[in-house]
Amino acid sequence: MNIWKSVMKFIYHFASPKHFYRISGKMIPWLGWLAAILLVVGSIDGLFFAPVDYQQGDSYRIIFIHVPAAWMSMFIYMVMATAGAIGLIWKIKLADVIASSSAPIGAAFTFLALVTGAIWGKPMWGAWWVWDARLTSELILLFLYLGYMALESAIEDPRAATRACAILAIVGVINIPIIHYSVEWWNTLHQGATVTKFDKPSIHISMLIPLLLMAIGFKLYYASVVLVRARNKVLYNEQNNRWVKEIVQANA
Amino acid sequence: MLEMLQMGKYGAYVWSSYGLAFFVMGYVAFKPLMDKKVIFKELMMKYRREIKSSGTPSSDKSEL
Amino acid sequence: MNPKRKNRLILVLLILTGTGLAVALGTMALKENIQYYLSPMEVKAGKAPPNHSFRLAGLVGVGSVKREKDGLTTHFDITDNVETITVTYTGILPDLFREGQGIVATGKLTDGTHFRAEEVLAKHDETYMPPPVQDALDKAEASKAQDKASGAMTQ
């Protein structure tokens, strides 16, 4: 019980706007630069050092953008829904801020996954787009993100907006397993899982390494960007508090 | 070297994917950094106005 | 109406339209996938809708691809290793189109065993490998690889 108490104490302490602002400010440069390094190294490895694919030739190199972007589109949605639920239940304002800061980043990754998929699909499948279960459910994910952002700006009362958005995010979680298992549940033109299956990955190690480098790079990128966005919101929301005044005036 | 950039016959597809990702992710990363400057400026002006308008500190200590 | 409320109303309507559209498209996709993916065996069994477009899925028959002189029209077999349908297609084939590859063709039956395709899409499996490794694997377990290729289509 003591451990639980101290964990909760730590969470509330970290989640207080002032401490969040201070600690996240220290974390962002590390996360950001590490993300940049991984993305550069991963891209160069994927573009120039990974071997060509036995079937798809060089076109498969789109995988190093497409797959991490698609993973992030789902991961960020889960973060958004979880943070929304925490905000709804425990009234931790920082959770609401994280949720709403995540939405545009998640939407951007969903958009990237869809567009790079289309660019890849044209030469390989022979079509930019097909209405199969995987592509359709990913498109619904984009609508969920856009709906979340529209709802947030449509409701004037911030508390009501936060509640409505959290509920939308939680309800939309149902789409995440649908996206993941769509390639198993239905006949899709889209391939089945290469890496995220119980079997060992069906991808050669020389191609798996840049893929994982990019995947970690995308995660760190999200972490740094979401913190920058959350800090902006915290600063704005807490503008009438003394600590914000001190920070702003110190930076003038 | 040129051959490497051509990516077989898929250069246009591969490079447009990476280019798009670069621009979208770059925009998403730098937009909030720009916003931060705007917020600092806006708050700075607000605080100056408050000091000018009255010697008393702002009345609303609302917690949003 | 006050402009703020109007804005809000428009946004809510937009959300509703978006969600509705997404659900409609989703249902459409499910229906298509459940109803319109037929294998050559199912076509031979008479499950194909007469005079109606449907999707035929299977492997391109080995040694069956014949190209006409115009360079655009191609004849080939689609097989599920049990039954075979002969397909005619005019147009550019996807780069992955090759003998033994899993494909999905959209079109109509012209008679019991002939299919006129309007669109041919290639399906690839989830395996990514450099060519030499693949060659070695193919030689080592040629039979196993064949099972996997046909397995990929039926899943």
Side-chain angles (χ1 to χ4, degrees), chain C residues 81-95:
Chain C
N81 293 328
V82 180
E83 295 288 355
T84 298
I85 303 279
T86 307
V87 178
T88 306
Y89 174 68
T90 306
I92 298 162
L93 289 160
D95 292 357

Side-chain angles (χ1 to χ4, degrees), chain B:
Chain B
M1 186 63 202
L2 196 68
E3 218 170 272
M4 244 180 155
L5 296 179
Q6 275 169 349
M7 299 281 165
K9 52 178 181 168
Y10 302 116
Y13 298 103
V14 173
W15 288 110
S16 61
S17 292
Y18 279 77
L20 184 77
F22 181 81
F23 278 109
V24 169
M25 289 170 75
Y27 177 78
V28 169
F30 282 100
K31 178 74 174 45
L33 293 176
M34 297 296 112
D35 290 348
K36 187 181 173 179
K37 287 185 180 151
V38 174
I39 290 170
F40 267 86
K41 222 179 208 170
E42 193 185 313
L43 292 185
M44 194 64 220
M45 289 197 321
K46 183 190 143 151
Y47 298 150
R48 282 205 183 120
R49 271 199 311 275
E50 281 173 3
I51 294 166
K52 262 184 200 167
S53 63
S54 67
T56 55
S58 72
S59 52
D60 57 324
K61 276 254 174 186
S62 71
E63 278 187 45
L64 263 170

Side-chain angles (χ1 to χ4, degrees), chain A residues 76-172:
Chain A
I76 295 174
Y77 196 91
M78 290 309 293
V79 171
M80 200 172 88
T82 310
I86 291 171
L88 207 59
I89 298 163
W90 285 286
K91 306 280 171 216
I92 297 175
K93 276 182 245 156
L94 183 62
D96 295 325
V97 170
I98 295 287
S100 90
S101 302
S102 294
I105 313 172
F109 278 124
T110 313
F111 170 78
L112 272 183
L114 287 168
V115 176
T116 56
I119 294 172
W120 192 3
K122 183 59 186 167
M124 288 300 112
W125 294 348
W128 298 103
W129 182 265
V130 292
W131 289 106
D132 87 352
R134 171 56 70 82
L135 278 71
T136 307
S137 54
E138 183 75 11
L139 184 65
I140 290 172
L141 183 66
L142 181 64
F143 286 140
L144 279 170
Y145 277 121
L146 297 180
Y148 182 102
M149 286 150 71
L151 196 63
E152 191 178 34
S153 59
I155 304 173
E156 262 161 80
D157 174 21
R159 279 178 202 219
T162 303
R163 272 180 71 93
C165 284
I167 291 165
L168 173 70
I170 293 163
V171 171

Side-chain angles (χ1 to χ4, degrees), chain C residues 1-149:
Chain C
M1 211 189 309
N2 102 33
K4 271 182 184 169
R5 270 199 202 144
K6 200 174 158 191
N7 268 342
R8 231 184 298 172
L9 192 71
I10 290 168
L11 272 160
V12 169
L13 282 177
L14 270 176
I15 295 163
L16 283 176
T17 331
T19 320
L21 202 75
V23 171
L25 293 176
T27 331
M28 226 171 66
L30 302 192
K31 258 175 100 178
E32 273 192 33
N33 275 291
I34 290 160
Q35 290 184 351
Y36 297 135
Y37 260 69
L38 299 179
S39 67
M41 221 157 73
E42 287 169 316
V43 173
K44 284 276 167 79
K47 285 192 184 160
N51 305 319
H52 245 283
S53 194
F54 67 97
R55 288 183 182 170
L56 176 64
L59 305 171
V60 179
V62 174
S64 74
V65 180
K66 292 179 199 78
R67 283 170 210 269
E68 274 184 21
K69 279 184 192 139
D70 64 3
L72 278 176
T73 306
T74 318
H75 304 275
F76 56 91
D77 292 347
I78 290 187
T79 175
D80 51 15
N81 293 328
V82 180
E83 295 288 355
T84 298
I85 303 279
T86 307
V87 178
T88 306
Y89 174 68
T90 306
I92 298 162
L93 289 160
D95 292 357
L96 271 182
F97 180 90
R98 57 191 71 157
E99 291 175 358
Q101 185 74 35
I103 60 158
V104 179
T106 311
K108 287 176 189 173
L109 281 178
T110 48
D111 63 55
T113 58
H114 288 82
F115 187 83
R116 173 92 215 173
E118 289 139 24
E119 187 185 39
V120 172
L121 301 175
K123 186 182 160 113
H124 60 83
D125 65 10
E126 68 278 15
T127 312
Y128 292 88
M129 268 180 208
V133 176
Q134 184 57 29
D135 285 350
L137 275 185
D138 280 350
K139 276 171 198 155
E141 33 184 359
S143 59
K144 208 178 167 188
Q146 193 129 30
D147 290 349
K148 208 178 171 189

Side-chain angles (χ1 to χ4, degrees), chain A residues 152-221:
Chain A
E152 191 178 34
S153 59
I155 304 173
E156 262 161 80
D157 174 21
R159 279 178 202 219
T162 303
R163 272 180 71 93
C165 284
I167 291 165
L168 173 70
I170 293 163
V171 171
V173 164
I174 185 69
N175 192 37
I176 299 297
I178 293 178
I179 295 174
H180 184 78
Y181 291 107
S182 56
V183 290
E184 290 175 29
W185 292 343
W186 293 285
N187 274 320
T188 54
L189 190 63
H190 194 283
Q191 64 160 84
T194 292
V195 181
T196 54
K197 55 181 188 183
F198 290 114
D199 244 350
K200 76 176 184 25
S202 332
I203 181 167
H204 193 261
I205 185 75
S206 56
M207 301 160 162
L208 183 61
I209 288 170
L211 184 60
L212 294 180
L213 287 177
M214 291 297 271
I216 301 166
F218 274 42
K219 281 235 162 64
L220 293 175
Y221 165 92

